[in-house]
Amino acid sequence: MALYYNLAKIYEISENDYEFALQVVSSFLEEVPIEIDLIKTGISEKDYNKVYASAHKIKPSLDLLGMDLAFEENLEIMKWAKKNGKKKEISETYKSLKKHVNSAIKELKKDFKIDQE
């Protein structure tokens, strides 16, 4: 049983199409870690546009994969970036987002039998 993601939305919109779910998961695994790293870089460089762009890009994936906590944390990061926020107050939110994403990645790779790198 998955703890960090929920495929209900994907299966609902695809009428239980496993191949579609696999495509969404593969896309998530390929793209989201890159954007998570870009968010970290943007935070450290105080590049609010970079942070916002990357957070905005992963928002639909987090929603589709039912990652509610990560989705909410991502929204907080987007709001922070929009307001050119203070670095310290967002670092814990970022760490939590990264932890949730990494946990989901491990689960998805295991559940979909995708090679662990």
Side-chain angles (χ1 to χ4, degrees):
M1 184 177 132
L3 299 174
Y4 292 96
Y5 71 91
N6 182 332
L7 300 179
K9 282 185 185 178
I10 292 173
Y11 284 129
E12 184 181 326
I13 63 172
S14 71
E15 298 177 356
N16 295 322
D17 184 342
Y18 176 83
E19 289 302 316
F20 177 74
L22 182 58
Q23 285 179 325
V24 172
V25 166
S26 297
S27 177
F28 174 85
L29 295 174
E30 190 176 306
E31 296 171 12
V32 172
I34 294 166
E35 299 303 324
I36 291 289
D37 288 342
L38 289 173
I39 291 171
K40 181 180 182 179
T41 302
I43 290 171
S44 65
E45 294 173 353
K46 296 182 181 173
D47 184 341
Y48 306 113
N49 290 330
K50 181 186 286 187
V51 172
Y52 186 85
S54 291
H56 189 267
K57 187 172 180 181
I58 68 172
K59 186 176 153 192
S61 295
L62 299 175
D63 185 41
L64 256 182
L65 286 168
M67 297 174 61
D68 298 337
L69 283 173
F71 183 81
E72 291 302 319
E73 291 162 343
N74 192 57
L75 288 179
E76 286 300 311
I77 290 171
M78 289 174 68
K79 288 178 196 171
W80 174 87
K82 268 276 207 227
K83 294 180 180 178
N84 297 337
K86 293 187 173 90
K87 184 175 157 187
K88 190 171 187 173
E89 66 188 46
I90 206 66
S91 62
E92 290 304 312
T93 304
Y94 169 78
K95 286 178 191 173
S96 183
L97 171 65
K98 183 173 174 95
K99 178 181 172 258
H100 287 119
V101 167
N102 286 341
S103 296
I105 287 170
K106 283 181 188 171
E107 281 188 340
L108 287 163
K109 284 182 173 182
K110 181 181 176 201
D111 295 349
F112 280 84
K113 296 173 179 52
I114 296 171
D115 290 335
Q116 306 280 342
E117 294 174 12

